[in-house]
Amino acid sequence: MSRLTGWWHSRGGPARSNMAKVELYTRWTFHALAGIEVGAIGIPQLLDEGGDQLGGWLFLLVMAHATLSGALLSTAMDWRLGRREQPVRLILGVSALTGGGIILLLALRSTDTLPQDQGYAFLLMGIAGFGLAAITLGLRTAAHRVYAVLGTAVGTAAMSLLLGLEWNNAAANAAGVTATGAALAGTYVFSAWLVSVVWELDEARELHTRLAIAEERLRFGRDLHDVMGRNLAVIALKSELAVQLAERDRPGAAAQMTEVQRIAQESQREVREVVRGYREADLHTELEGARGVLKAAGIDCRIKGGDVGGLSAEVQSALGWVVREATTNVLRHGDARRCTVRLSQTGGPGAGEGPHGGPGDGSGGGFGGREAVLTVENDGVPDAGAGARVGKGPGLARRGSGPAGKDSSLAGKDSGLSGKGSGLAGLRERLAALDGTLDAGSTADGRFVLTARVPLPGTATGDVRPVADEADETGEEVAV
């Protein structure tokens, strides 16, 4: 049995897909119907005529018509699947043979050479029906197919009257051609359409797979950028500080390099988590990390906001990534001396703080319910005019005071603040998944403000651990 079915499973070669099996089944069905035309129409005529010359010629006519129609069906299927050009010559050839066969049969009937019996009806309807089925499969539009069937029926009736047949015979011929042609043409066209739909579904599935792979690559690239951006900036800062301390024979270089080693090891662990897809930013951890990193860079960091509860794990993760990216931007851009982080809940975008940390005016559009608002504000931005947007200028050089009290300089590189960077774009993608927004820009007095807003659900699913120490629980600023 395996030998008989091996061709179906393409044994000995690549496994045949289900789509290819559907197409193969349809093609062999078309070929089988061409064989039925010969067996059910041609052979009976040959036997009924007792083997005389007319029966042989009619059999050859049916054989030629079935062969040419089968060739047209195969090539028309390839055309409908986009594998070759439209078989115009074969369409014209089958049309000419079908029309000639109909005229010949009508002429033989008008001279009483063929009797008005069931065999004559099978011949006429078979040649017309199978011919129209093959022709319509090669036409582009449904209108063309309808015109082909109706035109053949009208032509058959007109030719019947011209050859002297009675009007009732002409009407019966037209009705039979219309019914047979429409039925076979509809069956063939529907089968071919079904095959094309199956292939389109397979292409859609492959496209979905490719999009899923591309989305995963984007996720990995975004997470890798968010994880490594700040750590690499800190490593560069501490490495340069260690070099300067060593060149001046001052103590502390070994301690700075030990810290670099610790951060590098932590980066390795975080990269592994990104690869596994388990990386989630914790808001409390990121705020504490921002405090420590900015302090090490000689930047006065203040965290405002006491107890802020009601934040789900998803919201905390999204805001945690905002804190991480904002900290990276403060380190790599401008000449910051102070950085303030505000975290609060408001009843709407206009009910709390404004986009630059000031009181809201109630005019901002947005959400009707509560929302979490995270604002990161730093000074030291070169004067770019009020309301300057992200990516409006070249990279900025940064100079900060290290723990040793000496200036250390870092050349600003591309990051999320650059118009070509991916940091803020990645943050917007994360916030958009929660229907949140991100606003970033500079002010006239040389401050850069980044504000993230995330709408909150009606019920609380978690709390944010306190960020500041006890002195900050009253809502006062805490400098670090």
Side-chain angles (χ1 to χ4, degrees):
M1 181 61 69
S2 60
R3 294 181 179 179
L4 297 176
T5 59
W7 64 274
W8 176 256
H9 300 286
S10 187
R11 191 177 65 177
R16 199 186 304 276
S17 65
N18 292 331
M19 285 63 64
K21 291 179 180 179
V22 172
E23 180 183 347
L24 182 64
Y25 170 79
T26 305
R27 287 182 180 275
W28 278 106
T29 300
F30 288 164
H31 296 326
L33 290 174
I36 290 175
E37 179 182 0
V38 175
I41 301 174
I43 294 179
Q45 295 300 320
L46 180 62
L47 298 178
D48 289 345
E49 294 298 329
D52 61 5
Q53 193 173 21
L54 179 60
W57 285 112
L58 291 176
F59 175 76
L60 291 178
L61 172 64
V62 174
M63 279 287 297
H65 186 267
T67 302
L68 196 60
S69 297
L72 175 57
L73 289 171
S74 180
T75 53
M77 176 70 78
D78 290 335
W79 168 69
R80 293 181 69 88
L81 296 177
R83 300 171 184 171
R84 60 176 302 160
E85 297 180 354
Q86 186 180 19
V88 178
R89 294 183 179 179
L90 274 175
I91 293 175
L92 294 177
V94 173
S95 300
L97 186 57
T98 301
I102 292 174
I103 294 174
L104 176 61
L105 293 176
L106 293 176
L108 292 176
R109 177 66 194 94
S110 64
T111 58
D112 291 331
T113 305
L114 284 178
Q116 184 72 29
D117 57 6
Q118 188 176 10
Y120 161 75
F122 276 172
L123 267 175
L124 182 62
M125 304 309 156
I127 289 179
F130 285 107
L132 284 172
I135 293 170
T136 54
L137 193 63
L139 299 180
R140 294 185 181 277
T141 64
H144 291 164
R145 301 182 193 107
V146 172
Y147 295 154
V149 174
L150 295 180
T152 303
V154 172
T156 300
M159 186 58 63
S160 299
L161 295 176
L162 288 177
L163 292 176
L165 296 178
E166 297 180 358
W167 67 267
N168 57 343
N169 289 333
N173 292 338
V177 169
T178 302
T180 306
L184 290 176
T187 301
Y188 280 45
V189 171
F190 177 78
S191 299
W193 171 81
L194 186 61
V195 172
S196 65
V197 168
V198 169
W199 278 113
E200 289 177 1
L201 290 175
D202 181 63
E203 293 175 358
R205 185 181 64 180
E206 292 181 358
L207 178 60
H208 181 270
T209 303
R210 290 195 296 268
L211 289 176
I213 294 174
E215 182 178 356
E216 180 63 16
R217 288 175 178 172
L218 289 175
R219 181 203 67 81
F220 180 81
R222 181 185 62 196
D223 289 356
L224 191 62
H225 173 275
D226 293 343
V227 166
M228 297 300 297
R230 187 188 68 180
N231 291 351
L232 291 177
V234 176
I235 288 174
L237 177 67
K238 289 185 173 293
S239 299
E240 184 171 352
L241 179 59
V243 170
Q244 293 183 3
L245 292 174
E247 290 176 349
R248 300 175 185 179
D249 294 329
R250 296 178 64 100
Q256 294 297 327
M257 292 309 299
T258 300
E259 184 68 11
V260 168
Q261 182 183 23
R262 184 192 66 79
I263 297 175
Q265 292 173 348
E266 181 181 354
S267 299
Q268 287 181 326
R269 176 184 59 79
E270 292 180 340
V271 168
R272 294 190 188 99
E273 292 178 355
V274 169
V275 172
R276 297 188 185 100
Y278 297 143
R279 173 65 183 173
E280 290 293 340
D282 179 74
L283 182 55
H284 175 78
T285 302
E286 295 301 332
L287 287 170
E288 292 290 351
R291 184 205 304 268
V293 168
L294 294 178
K295 179 181 178 181
I299 300 174
D300 179 20
C301 178
R302 298 173 181 266
I303 298 178
K304 290 185 177 182
D307 294 333
V308 182
L311 299 184
S312 64
E314 293 80 6
V315 174
Q316 291 190 41
S317 177
L319 295 181
W321 287 115
V322 174
V323 172
R324 174 179 280 264
E325 179 62 23
T327 305
T328 303
N329 291 335
V330 172
L331 289 172
R332 301 182 67 181
H333 292 269
D335 189 17
R337 292 295 185 268
R338 289 176 57 91
C339 178
T340 303
V341 180
R342 296 180 179 89
L343 181 61
S344 62
Q345 292 185 22
T346 67
E353 296 171 324
H356 290 162
D361 58 4
S363 61
F367 314 99
R370 297 185 308 124
E371 62 179 3
V373 181
L374 175 69
T375 302
V376 181
E377 177 182 331
N378 64 275
D379 60 2
V381 178
D383 187 10
R389 305 306 300 167
V390 176
K392 286 285 186 176
L396 306 174
R398 180 192 178 277
R399 295 183 60 85
S401 298
K406 301 296 182 179
D407 289 341
S408 61
S409 60
L410 287 176
K413 304 297 181 182
D414 291 339
S415 75
L417 286 176
S418 172
K420 298 180 181 179
S422 60
L424 296 184
L427 292 181
R428 288 191 174 93
E429 292 177 1
R430 294 181 186 275
L431 295 175
L434 300 176
D435 295 328
T437 59
L438 182 71
D439 181 43
S442 59
T443 62
D445 56 354
R447 293 181 300 135
F448 188 86
V449 182
L450 184 146
T451 304
R453 300 178 183 272
V454 180
L456 299 178
T459 58
T461 58
D463 294 331
V464 178
R465 285 170 285 175
V467 177
D469 53 18
E470 295 180 358
D472 189 42
E473 293 181 357
T474 60
E476 298 179 355
E477 295 182 358
V478 175
V480 294

